[in-house]
Amino acid sequence: MAPEPTALHRAGGKISLVGIGPGSHAHMTQRARDVIAEADTIIGYVTYIKLVADLIVGKEIIRKSMTEELDRAIHALAFAQQGKKVALISSGDAGVYGMAGPTFEVLFQAGWTPATGVEVEIVPGASALNTCASLVGAPLTHDFCSISLSDLLTPWPVIARRLDAAAAADFVCALYNPKSGRRTQQIIEAQRLFLRHRDPHTPVAIVKSAYRPKQRIEFTTLEKMSDCDIGMLTTVLIGNSNTFVREGRMVTPRGYANKYSMDDHAPHDGEKAGRSLSTGLMGWLAHLHADHQAGVSATSLAERHRLPLDYIQSTLAQALTTTDQQTATEPLLENEA
């Protein structure tokens, strides 16, 4: 049982929201180790407690089950208000589907402020998205997003809209919480939504228990992914339209081939190193206005570029200034690596 919260906490009380990474000590930050060593009390999901068992010998340990996230946060606040240093641990990163959000909700509900409440520190850790990607190659080199398939707290229509939007926008996508003993249909629905927009042969990597003793990696395709061994300890990485698998490595190109020859690395005709693509924003705007002036309708342009009609219409309503045209050919000081 948590101690009763007090109106005034004793000096020294602190909550550290610690991301322990995938679970292997080799991939835990030194700051995470230090905070755990300094803590009086360790609070966490039973599985995460086991992952750091050798680091918490002799400490007060509060083990909680899955779905008891708010209870963990309430205990953390109560113990910190008693002047204790509390390490509230999450696997991966505490701010990515972890305990940082629920803890701040509890803190603000209790009237916490940085000036008057217990000290709070967030110790970042490698999320499943990063760790799983490192095991399969370089699937996240271009734009990506993560979506949780857990509908325990989020309405399914919200999740479905996000899946559909990510699939249509050609994001590489990491699916968290893809399946459990009771939630078996969600991954199938996610697959259906992605197949509306993606080639069935789009590469998919299934990573289970990354950097843990029962680690398992499987490469498959979008049309076959729901047939794979997927559970709550699995992260599903779905590639975009350019992602490929070669020599056991899943790679999403950054886009260098759009500008440079991959043989001699020279820029393609019309392209210049260190400058936006000819089809970058300003170049696209110039072409858009030129096509419209040549008689192409806004509706046709919206279909051609797969963009909302009202966006195309409002863009065409804005005159392309001389400054815009000059900007299209000016150097862009941007790190391409």
Side-chain angles (χ1 to χ4, degrees):
M1 178 179 294
E4 287 296 324
T6 56
L8 296 174
H9 66 278
R10 290 208 296 266
K14 179 180 179 179
I15 299 174
S16 295
L17 296 151
V18 185
I20 63 171
S24 62
H25 291 357
H27 295 90
M28 190 182 303
T29 67
Q30 185 59 51
R31 182 56 187 159
R33 287 172 170 269
D34 291 344
V35 167
I36 290 173
E38 295 165 2
D40 304 304
T41 304
I42 308 296
I43 301 177
Y45 173 47
V46 288
T47 298
Y48 307 155
I49 293 292
K50 291 178 182 178
L51 294 174
V52 295
D54 60 322
L55 302 178
I56 59 177
V57 176
K59 296 182 181 295
E60 181 178 32
I61 302 172
I62 307 298
R63 298 173 176 84
K64 291 292 179 181
S65 301
M66 192 65 74
T67 76
E68 293 183 319
E69 291 82 6
L70 291 179
D71 196 43
R72 290 179 229 168
I74 291 169
H75 273 73
L77 175 58
F79 280 110
Q81 287 177 321
Q82 296 297 314
K84 294 184 178 182
K85 293 181 179 180
V86 181
L88 180 49
I89 63 174
S90 296
S91 67
D93 183 278
V96 181
Y97 304 115
M99 282 302 302
T103 300
F104 276 113
E105 290 184 62
V106 167
L107 287 169
F108 289 133
Q109 182 68 28
W112 175 89
T113 68
T116 63
V118 299
E119 181 182 354
V120 178
E121 177 185 4
I122 299 177
V123 181
S127 180
L129 185 148
N130 306 98
T131 54
C132 293
S134 72
L135 289 169
V136 302
L140 306 180
T141 313
H142 215 318
D143 298 336
F144 61 88
C145 68
S146 63
I147 300 175
S148 171
L149 297 192
S150 174
D151 55 6
L152 297 178
L153 301 173
T154 305
W156 177 254
V158 174
I159 298 172
R161 286 196 298 271
R162 292 171 180 170
L163 290 166
D164 187 68
D170 204 29
F171 281 108
V172 175
C173 191
L175 300 182
Y176 280 66
N177 307 311
K179 192 175 182 180
S180 70
R182 288 177 292 185
R183 294 185 303 100
T184 59
Q185 187 66 25
Q186 285 80 353
I187 187 65
I188 297 173
E189 294 302 307
Q191 179 186 39
R192 288 180 58 218
L193 287 163
F194 265 80
L195 284 171
R196 294 182 64 248
H197 305 282
R198 303 282 177 92
D199 188 303
H201 296 101
T202 299
V204 173
I206 311 290
V207 184
K208 183 176 182 179
S209 299
Y211 293 104
R212 297 180 188 177
K214 295 183 180 181
Q215 173 182 296
R216 186 173 183 274
I217 299 170
E218 183 177 359
F219 289 101
T220 185
T221 61
L222 183 58
E223 66 178 345
K224 296 179 180 178
M225 77 175 193
S226 61
D227 298 329
C228 297
D229 180 18
I230 297 174
M232 277 297 290
L233 299 179
T234 303
T235 300
V236 178
L237 299 173
I238 303 175
N240 69 13
S241 59
N242 294 307
T243 303
F244 62 87
V245 175
R246 188 174 303 163
E247 301 297 333
R249 298 294 184 271
M250 183 177 180
V251 178
T252 301
R254 178 66 178 86
Y256 289 98
N258 293 331
K259 183 181 287 189
Y260 305 102
S261 165
M262 300 309 288
D263 294 323
D264 59 11
H265 304 158
H268 296 310
D269 291 342
E271 306 293 351
K272 293 185 178 180
R275 299 189 181 183
S276 295
L277 281 170
S278 56
T279 52
L281 174 58
M282 295 309 170
W284 176 74
L285 287 174
H287 286 297
L288 189 74
H289 279 268
D291 289 342
H292 190 54
Q293 291 170 2
V296 183
S297 70
T299 300
S300 295
L301 289 170
E303 293 175 352
R304 176 187 299 177
H305 297 291
R306 292 187 292 174
L307 288 167
L309 176 59
D310 61 342
Y311 173 70
I312 294 295
Q313 290 172 328
S314 63
T315 301
L316 291 170
Q318 300 174 23
L320 189 65
T321 67
T322 302
T323 302
D324 290 334
Q325 293 170 336
Q326 291 174 343
T327 302
T329 59
E330 289 176 353
L332 179 66
L333 299 179
E334 177 180 328
N335 184 1
E336 294 182 337

